[in-house]
Amino acid sequence: EFALELAGLEKVYNRGKPSEVSVLRGATLEVKRGEVVALVAPSGAGKSTLLHIAGLLDTPDHGSVALGGRNMVGLSDKARTEARREEVGFVYQFHHLLPEFTALENVMIPQLANGAGQAEAEARAMDLLGRVGVAPRATHRPAALSGGEQQRVAFCRALANQPRLLLADEPTGNLDPATSDQVFGALMALVRETGLAALIATHNMELAARMDRVVRLDQGRVV
Ligand code: ADP
Ligand code: ADP
């Protein structure tokens, strides 16, 4: 059973212009349920493009995308947005938490937007925050949290609606090595406990080595 199946992805930016760049050239990648895959490549190799296509934020010029065995190519914008909300959680290098809301509220908001009740959303948010060790900071706003704490809250937010796939783009890229290690440990524990699949782009080879599998993007292909 695959959480994510990407096959023969091609993506060209600025087609026909002098700045044309062919970023993906037949990229193929499958991630099984429960599997954590590291995506390693130099800057500019197309990691973000691949993650955005996998997460239904962007569409390929050619190739197929399936989430949970369901084809995602050719859906209407509305159907794609719905599928994205159901299936995918995102984490970025910068946390993008809402500054005027507490950590707890930041993890509740996506659930409320998705139709959850207040009590249910709060219970799930507190459970997630507890799993990554930030429950004691639940009532603080992002500015009052350390960088590592902010990023752990961002993980909780990404998992708030119980997606089947977590996509992360340099999730610890903004942290010092010790904090990065700690935050990555919390993320892995959370992923393992929830049994979800993850595709994590990173420059950090030590962290990559702790995942189930490491793939590289090379000349627009996954190797
Ligand atoms: P990475 O995440 O590995 O750094 P990206 O996927 O962000 O790589 O970018 C791959 C290449 O595509 C880069 O050369 C980048 O400049 C180019 N690119 C990315 N997004 C766009 C865009 N929206 N329009 C034009 N070029 C883009
Ligand atoms: P780190 O070294 O991990 O980046 P900090 O030195 O920023 O951590 O913070 C250490 C502790 O102090 C953390 O628990 C953090 O939540 C707390 N803290 C940091 N800044 C503030 C603040 N402005 N208000 C309240 N607590 C804070």
Side-chain angles (χ1 to χ4, degrees):
E1 258 301 324
F2 292 107
L4 172 67
E5 296 160 272
L6 303 174
L9 294 185
E10 293 180 23
K11 184 74 179 180
V12 174
Y13 288 116
N14 302 331
R15 191 184 291 277
K17 296 186 190 150
S19 54
E20 175 172 310
V21 49
S22 175
V23 179
L24 299 179
R25 307 161 177 242
T28 293
L29 174 66
E30 291 168 340
V31 182
K32 284 183 233 155
R33 291 197 200 284
E35 190 182 29
V36 180
V37 175
L39 176 64
V40 177
S43 195
K47 296 188 297 294
S48 303
T49 300
L50 186 123
L51 289 174
H52 284 157
I53 290 173
L56 311 181
L57 288 167
D58 197 357
T59 52
D61 299 331
H62 293 285
S64 61
V65 178
L67 294 180
R70 228 174 104 210
N71 167 52
M72 295 290 163
V73 172
L75 297 184
S76 68
D77 283 355
K78 184 164 174 277
R80 233 154 33 99
T81 302
E82 258 168 39
R84 181 169 64 238
R85 284 206 186 130
E86 263 171 40
E87 302 276 348
V88 189
F90 286 97
V91 180
Y92 298 96
Q93 181 168 1
F94 299 98
H95 58 78
H96 299 302
L97 296 171
L98 299 169
E100 67 274 34
F101 293 97
T102 66
L104 179 67
E105 288 163 344
N106 268 280
V107 184
M108 289 174 67
I109 287 165
Q111 300 178 72
L112 298 173
N114 209 32
Q118 188 82 17
E120 180 195 349
E122 182 168 340
R124 175 158 175 81
M126 279 309 294
D127 176 61
L128 285 167
L129 293 169
R131 287 172 190 273
V132 296
V134 283
R137 321 285 305 171
T139 59
H140 293 260
R141 290 185 184 183
L145 303 178
S146 73
E149 288 169 337
Q150 290 168 349
Q151 205 58 344
R152 282 184 267 173
V153 175
F155 295 155
C156 295
R157 180 187 53 184
L159 302 189
N161 283 327
Q162 300 177 265
R164 282 192 277 198
L165 177 67
L166 177 73
L167 298 172
D169 200 348
E170 299 283 352
T172 62
N174 194 29
L175 305 172
D176 62 70
T179 308
S180 171
D181 198 66
Q182 222 176 46
V183 164
F184 180 75
L187 176 64
M188 285 299 278
L190 201 54
V191 165
R192 296 304 189 197
E193 281 165 28
T194 49
L196 92 174
L199 180 59
I200 302 178
T202 182
H203 281 119
N204 186 327
M205 290 309 296
E206 265 170 59
L207 296 188
R210 287 160 59 185
M211 302 187 209
D212 298 324
R213 187 154 62 94
V214 181
V215 299
R216 223 154 29 85
L217 249 186
D218 184 27
Q219 312 283 331
R221 288 167 171 270
V222 178
V223 294

